[in-house]
Amino acid sequence: MTDIAKRFAENPLLSPIDIPASREGLEITCLLNPGVFQYENKTWLVVRVAERPKQKEDVISFPILTETGAIKIIEIPKDDPELIANDARVINYKGTDYLTTLSHLRLLRSDDGHSFYEPENYPSLVGEGILETFGIEDCRVALIEGTYYLTFTSVSDNGVGVGLRTTTDWKNFKKHGMILPAHNKDCAIFEEKINGLFYALHRPSSVDIGGNYIWLASSPDGIHWGNHHCIIKTRKGLWDSKRVGAGAAPIKTEKGWLEIYHGANEAHQYCLGAFLMDLEDPSKVLARTEQPIMVPTTTYELSGFFGNVVFTNGHIIEPDGDTLTIYYGASDEFVCGAQFSIKEILLLLKNN
Ligand code: MAN
């Protein structure tokens, strides 16, 4: 398989031990899937911080948020016959699915794009209300006309949907609630309007007819979405046979809107690929890579909280206009960086 990613020598850039937990009684299990943006000439990450209590031998314990924002710890004996626990990320107890960790989003800043620190006086973003009691995850950041749009996964026992908050200063946030209801995630807003409309990629999924496919929607205001089109499907027998989902905001190139996306196969191996959309009408997919452009290969990508995973939802286009720096989650546990040449990705696309 092809892998054209140039990984940072310093990888992993961030590990769970690198920052403090949000509160006493919890520890950080994973740092992953950061949104990325530039603000005041620095590179910033909105890192997903997944926490739970220190695990004891005989019980599984995890936190959930109450409607008022308090933390409640749920403890389940491992030998309880009503517990199904065969995925590190989710469990089922008495017929209800729960996440094994609770995620919030933390801001980290860097002067060089390689070493990140927590700046003072910037708030964390945490789940709020009944649609986010299992936390918020995997934030994408789109800068449109001076406003940052944050789309993230809101999780609760009601389901998994897309939440939106906006900000101009990263200190004050406006909450717009859930913009795409369950089951939906991986929402990346285009950073430019097309013919006066906002556009976004998103990933609804169905348990029965249909699948985990990438869709396109448009909106007059960035909040209310419609005109949905299914544009990218899973491909039988290929690396993206089980699920596909958008990465960060599409990259505008002369040839079209270039999107880096993740695909997983039946064995839950997560790789990255790319597709190209028409500049004027992004519902037209012009080309797609057949092989992945990045495959889990290094130790930190192969083993961790959930191994065999590279997953990106944030990037920066460097001043040369060709170098794409992606930040990505490795093994659902570490934050890493890698670079691509946009020209090289375009060369690997196969016309539809
Ligand atoms: C999947 C994985 C997890 C995530 C949940 C909820 O199980 O992507 O990492 O926490 O969905 O979104």
Side-chain angles (χ1 to χ4, degrees):
M1 284 202 198
T2 41
D3 184 320
I4 53 163
K6 295 176 195 76
R7 290 162 175 78
F8 285 7
E10 303 92 321
N11 280 350
L13 304 179
L14 293 163
S15 303
I17 48 161
D18 292 338
I19 59 171
S22 64
R23 61 180 88 200
E24 225 172 285
L26 297 184
E27 42 180 48
I28 297 180
T29 316
C30 321
L31 290 183
L32 66 165
N33 308 353
V36 184
F37 61 97
Q38 275 166 318
Y39 179 59
E40 293 183 336
N41 297 318
K42 304 231 188 299
T43 300
W44 296 64
L45 303 179
V46 195
V47 176
R48 170 176 165 197
V49 180
E51 299 177 309
R52 64 181 174 193
K54 192 175 170 58
Q55 296 296 290
K56 296 176 217 146
E57 206 169 301
D58 306 325
V59 286
I60 285 186
S61 63
F62 53 88
I64 63 170
L65 291 165
T66 67
E67 267 178 63
T68 58
I71 294 261
K72 189 171 132 192
I73 306 290
I74 298 189
E75 291 196 326
I76 305 162
K78 283 190 182 159
D79 59 5
D80 191 317
E82 292 190 280
L83 170 72
I84 306 168
N86 45 27
D87 185 316
R89 306 167 297 179
V90 275
I91 59 136
N92 184 285
Y93 185 56
K94 295 190 173 169
T96 304
D97 288 322
Y98 295 93
L99 295 179
T100 56
T101 58
L102 174 68
S103 291
H104 67 276
L105 305 171
R106 196 89 66 94
L107 290 171
L108 277 91
R109 185 167 72 187
S110 173
D111 305 325
D112 60 3
H114 288 246
S115 75
F116 286 86
Y117 55 91
E118 275 192 88
E120 272 171 35
N121 302 324
Y122 284 88
S124 297
L125 287 94
V126 297
E128 280 182 27
I130 53 164
L131 297 182
E132 297 178 349
T133 51
F134 294 179
I136 54 175
E137 311 179 340
D138 303 353
C139 185
R140 276 98 176 149
V141 182
L143 176 60
I144 306 155
E145 295 168 3
T147 298
Y148 293 93
Y149 289 72
L150 285 68
T151 47
F152 47 84
T153 310
S154 296
V155 194
S156 72
D157 58 359
N158 300 292
V160 175
V162 177
L164 173 72
R165 298 184 194 179
T166 52
T167 186
T168 51
D169 60 6
W170 293 96
K171 291 195 170 166
N172 301 288
F173 295 84
K174 196 166 166 192
K175 299 185 186 110
H176 304 274
M178 190 171 273
I179 53 165
L180 295 165
H183 192 284
N184 204 318
K185 47 164 64 172
D186 302 328
C187 177
I189 303 182
F190 288 57
E191 293 193 291
E192 222 178 87
K193 290 184 193 162
I194 304 166
N195 300 320
L197 291 176
F198 287 83
Y199 275 83
L201 299 167
H202 64 109
R203 213 285 300 280
S205 41
S206 152
V207 283
D208 299 314
I209 295 173
N212 299 298
Y213 306 148
I214 299 175
W215 290 59
L216 179 83
S218 61
S219 165
D221 57 7
I223 298 167
H224 304 90
W225 296 88
N227 196 21
H228 299 273
H229 292 271
C230 180
I231 60 165
I232 290 283
K233 291 189 171 173
T234 48
R235 296 178 291 192
K236 254 203 186 123
L238 287 188
W239 58 278
D240 52 3
S241 58
K242 182 79 182 161
R243 52 171 53 94
V244 288
I251 301 156
K252 194 176 193 183
T253 73
E254 274 173 19
K255 302 219 154 30
W257 295 101
L258 178 67
E259 177 66 12
I260 311 297
Y261 74 99
H262 67 267
N265 61 18
E266 318 293 325
H268 302 297
Q269 179 194 45
Y270 283 71
C271 300
L272 302 183
F275 63 91
L276 191 72
M277 292 162 280
D278 185 85
L279 282 179
E280 282 295 303
D281 177 5
S283 71
K284 287 187 191 140
V285 175
L286 306 174
R288 181 173 177 182
T289 54
E290 208 160 79
Q291 296 298 318
I293 58 170
M294 186 171 186
V295 180
T297 10
T298 63
T299 323
Y300 50 85
E301 293 163 0
L302 291 171
S303 55
F305 184 72
F306 192 78
N308 223 0
V309 172
V310 292
F311 185 105
T312 189
N313 47 285
H315 60 230
I316 297 274
I317 299 157
E318 300 297 340
D320 67 10
D322 182 55
T323 307
L324 176 72
T325 303
I326 66 153
Y327 293 90
Y328 67 100
S331 287
D332 272 4
E333 184 169 338
F334 311 104
V335 172
C336 298
Q339 289 187 322
F340 292 91
S341 150
I342 293 174
K343 279 197 205 98
E344 203 179 344
I345 300 174
L346 290 173
L347 284 173
L348 292 173
L349 294 168
K350 299 261 173 357
N351 285 345
N352 260 4

